Amino acid sequence: MTEAIDALLKGIADNMNKALSHLETEVLKIRAGKASPQMLDGLTVEYYGAPTPLSQVANISAVDARTLTIQPWEKNMIAPIERSIMAANLGVTPQNDGAIIKLFLPPVTEERRRELVKKVMAEGEHAKVAVRNIRRDGMETVRKMQKEGLSEDAVKDAESKIQNLTDKKIIEIDQHCAGKEKELMTV
């Protein structure tokens, strides 16, 4: 039975790590006043009838702290890329010179910074909910194991390990969100 508990704990830890890495990718997309190619991750473009990630049809680079350039590998992709950027509602208007699309990011105001911090905190809360759901599922599995003959001491031990893992992940989420908040509020 201890192998089953160890496997369960490993699965719980893996799922919690996935929730944390998802938080990190979502928070990366929230810009802190600096242009970053990761801002456009997840953006898809209609490419010959199929939705394709922007990074697979164009080269994306940050020219300076407030400018992104998108150089499509095919010139006929400029219009679909511009439509995709407009539909994503990023708060920027794409400008093209026939070969390259440029995104000029406006400076971030104090009010916008506060909105972005709220967005980061909301993402952090989603991650916490995911971690707590993983904990709940793990606890239910341990209780089912108890009904199948697992000793009460082993159940208590497994539950405390699951709770400790949950507490550590919640602290990591809070630290990650606090770091991003500090980055966003730094002018």
Side-chain angles (χ1 to χ4, degrees):
M1 231 8 147
T2 58
E3 298 90 27
I5 290 175
D6 290 342
L8 175 69
L9 291 173
K10 184 180 180 337
I12 289 171
D14 289 345
N15 287 341
M16 287 183 180
N17 286 334
K18 287 177 188 173
L20 189 63
S21 66
H22 177 73
L23 169 70
E24 290 169 356
T25 57
E26 290 301 312
V27 166
L28 262 179
K29 293 177 188 175
I30 299 173
R31 71 180 182 95
K34 295 183 236 24
S36 165
Q38 287 86 8
M39 289 172 48
L40 302 176
D41 283 356
L43 202 64
T44 57
V45 178
E46 196 69 27
Y47 184 64
Y48 293 107
T52 308
L54 177 61
S55 59
Q56 292 182 11
V57 296
N59 185 27
I60 306 166
S61 59
V63 177
D64 57 41
R66 293 191 25 222
T67 309
L68 281 178
T69 59
I70 304 166
Q71 185 170 13
W73 292 318
E74 297 176 26
K75 286 194 180 206
N76 64 338
M77 289 304 299
I78 288 178
I81 290 172
E82 285 183 325
R83 279 194 299 273
S84 176
I85 291 169
M86 294 299 283
N89 199 15
L90 298 173
V92 292
T93 304
Q95 300 173 0
N96 81 65
D97 61 7
I100 295 176
I101 299 170
K102 291 185 179 181
L103 299 177
F104 297 103
L105 303 173
V108 183
T109 63
E110 183 72 19
E111 181 181 329
R112 179 72 176 138
R113 288 179 194 275
R114 294 198 187 286
E115 287 175 23
L116 293 173
V117 167
K118 284 181 186 175
K119 196 172 179 183
V120 168
M121 294 306 165
E123 287 296 336
E125 196 54 44
H126 290 307
K128 287 179 186 179
V129 168
V131 166
R132 290 180 188 128
N133 286 339
I134 294 165
R135 176 191 60 194
R136 183 197 64 224
D137 294 343
M139 295 287 198
E140 287 174 1
T141 304
V142 168
R143 289 187 192 108
K144 285 179 188 171
M145 290 174 152
Q146 183 180 17
K147 289 178 183 174
E148 295 169 2
L150 188 63
S151 72
E152 196 172 318
D153 289 341
V155 169
K156 295 284 185 211
D157 186 46
E159 286 178 345
S160 73
K161 286 180 180 176
I162 292 171
Q163 186 60 47
N164 288 340
L165 194 58
T166 302
D167 294 342
K168 285 179 189 172
K169 291 301 169 189
I170 297 287
I171 289 169
E172 284 181 47
I173 290 169
D174 286 338
Q175 289 172 342
H176 199 74
C177 290
K180 187 66 176 185
E181 178 181 11
K182 184 178 178 187
E183 178 186 337
L184 285 169
M185 294 311 288
T186 303
V187 179

